[in-house]
Tab-separated table of all heavy atoms in Angstrom:
chain	number	residue	atom	x	y	z
A	14	GLY	N	-26.145	-9.727	43.440
A	14	GLY	CA	-27.229	-9.488	42.556
A	14	GLY	C	-27.662	-10.643	41.688
A	14	GLY	O	-28.918	-10.875	41.576
A	15	TYR	N	-26.743	-11.393	41.271
A	15	TYR	CA	-26.995	-12.600	40.539
A	15	TYR	C	-27.899	-13.525	41.253
A	15	TYR	O	-28.906	-14.097	40.805
A	15	TYR	CB	-25.716	-13.234	39.926
A	15	TYR	CG	-25.963	-14.328	38.963
A	15	TYR	CD1	-25.887	-13.991	37.633
A	15	TYR	CD2	-26.157	-15.689	39.284
A	15	TYR	CE1	-26.096	-14.946	36.637
A	15	TYR	CE2	-26.380	-16.623	38.277
A	15	TYR	CZ	-26.285	-16.319	37.004
A	15	TYR	OH	-26.466	-17.274	36.050
A	18	GLY	N	-31.328	-12.108	41.825
A	18	GLY	CA	-32.059	-12.174	40.477
A	18	GLY	C	-32.593	-13.582	40.313
A	18	GLY	O	-33.725	-13.791	39.885
A	19	ASN	N	-31.793	-14.584	40.558
A	19	ASN	CA	-32.182	-15.936	40.342
A	19	ASN	C	-33.373	-16.302	41.284
A	19	ASN	O	-34.183	-17.097	40.963
A	19	ASN	CB	-31.021	-16.881	40.732
A	19	ASN	CG	-30.356	-17.437	39.482
A	19	ASN	OD1	-30.988	-17.477	38.470
A	19	ASN	ND2	-29.220	-17.830	39.538
A	22	PHE	N	-36.550	-13.941	40.158
A	22	PHE	CA	-37.139	-14.147	38.782
A	22	PHE	C	-37.933	-15.395	38.547
A	22	PHE	O	-37.483	-16.399	38.912
A	22	PHE	CB	-36.024	-14.013	37.794
A	22	PHE	CG	-36.465	-13.798	36.462
A	22	PHE	CD1	-36.556	-12.588	35.880
A	22	PHE	CD2	-36.841	-14.908	35.577
A	22	PHE	CE1	-36.888	-12.307	34.567
A	22	PHE	CE2	-37.137	-14.644	34.263
A	22	PHE	CZ	-37.255	-13.440	33.730
B	175	ILE	N	-26.363	-5.238	37.894
B	175	ILE	CA	-25.934	-6.048	36.747
B	175	ILE	C	-26.130	-7.510	36.911
B	175	ILE	O	-26.621	-8.225	36.162
B	175	ILE	CB	-24.390	-5.758	36.418
B	175	ILE	CG1	-24.243	-4.328	36.032
B	175	ILE	CG2	-23.856	-6.738	35.343
B	175	ILE	CD1	-22.818	-3.882	35.963
B	176	GLY	N	-25.768	-7.931	38.183
B	176	GLY	CA	-25.914	-9.360	38.544
B	176	GLY	C	-27.403	-9.806	38.424
B	176	GLY	O	-27.631	-10.887	37.811
B	177	LYS	N	-28.331	-8.972	38.850
B	177	LYS	CA	-29.744	-9.233	38.755
B	177	LYS	C	-30.184	-9.366	37.244
B	177	LYS	O	-30.888	-10.319	36.822
B	177	LYS	CB	-30.562	-8.238	39.435
B	177	LYS	CG	-30.911	-8.566	40.886
B	177	LYS	CD	-31.870	-7.517	41.461
B	177	LYS	CE	-31.870	-7.685	42.996
B	177	LYS	NZ	-32.657	-6.618	43.678
B	178	GLU	N	-29.751	-8.403	36.469
B	178	GLU	CA	-30.097	-8.408	35.088
B	178	GLU	C	-29.586	-9.580	34.411
B	178	GLU	O	-30.291	-10.174	33.559
B	178	GLU	CB	-29.479	-7.060	34.417
B	178	GLU	CG	-30.251	-5.879	34.730
B	178	GLU	CD	-29.676	-4.611	34.126
B	178	GLU	OE1	-28.511	-4.649	33.665
B	178	GLU	OE2	-30.400	-3.604	34.013
B	179	VAL	N	-28.310	-10.025	34.631
B	179	VAL	CA	-27.833	-11.146	34.065
B	179	VAL	C	-28.491	-12.438	34.407
B	179	VAL	O	-28.807	-13.329	33.551
B	179	VAL	CB	-26.269	-11.324	34.238
B	179	VAL	CG1	-25.743	-12.541	33.666
B	179	VAL	CG2	-25.560	-10.149	33.667
B	180	ALA	N	-28.896	-12.486	35.691
B	180	ALA	CA	-29.618	-13.673	36.173
B	180	ALA	C	-31.033	-13.711	35.477
B	180	ALA	O	-31.440	-14.886	35.062
B	180	ALA	CB	-29.816	-13.626	37.738
B	181	ASN	N	-31.670	-12.552	35.414
B	181	ASN	CA	-32.944	-12.579	34.716
B	181	ASN	C	-32.816	-12.919	33.408
B	181	ASN	O	-33.606	-13.685	32.743
B	181	ASN	CB	-33.538	-11.162	34.831
B	181	ASN	CG	-33.959	-10.802	36.242
B	181	ASN	OD1	-33.984	-11.579	37.083
B	181	ASN	ND2	-34.165	-9.482	36.435
B	182	LEU	N	-31.731	-12.516	32.626
B	182	LEU	CA	-31.483	-12.795	31.257
B	182	LEU	C	-31.320	-14.294	31.078
B	182	LEU	O	-31.916	-14.918	30.096
B	182	LEU	CB	-30.221	-12.008	30.815
B	182	LEU	CG	-29.770	-11.965	29.418
B	182	LEU	CD1	-30.973	-11.429	28.507
B	182	LEU	CD2	-28.631	-11.114	29.272
B	183	ASN	N	-30.587	-14.894	31.984
B	183	ASN	CA	-30.429	-16.401	31.970
B	183	ASN	C	-31.704	-17.167	32.040
B	183	ASN	O	-31.801	-18.183	31.333
B	183	ASN	CB	-29.589	-16.738	33.144
B	183	ASN	CG	-29.230	-18.243	33.258
B	183	ASN	OD1	-28.934	-18.839	32.145
B	183	ASN	ND2	-29.177	-18.802	34.347
B	184	LYS	N	-32.762	-16.510	32.698
B	184	LYS	CA	-34.025	-17.275	32.754
B	184	LYS	C	-34.972	-17.066	31.614
B	184	LYS	O	-36.028	-17.702	31.564
B	184	LYS	CB	-34.732	-16.900	34.064
B	184	LYS	CG	-33.965	-17.207	35.310
B	184	LYS	CD	-34.193	-18.667	35.727
B	184	LYS	CE	-33.457	-19.197	36.851
B	184	LYS	NZ	-33.836	-18.630	38.091
Side-chain angles (χ1 to χ4, degrees):
Chain A
Y15 191 90
N19 255 338
F22 194 92
Chain B
I175 296 171
K177 269 187 195 172
E178 284 180 343
V179 176
N181 291 347
L182 191 53
N183 182 38
K184 296 278 176 77

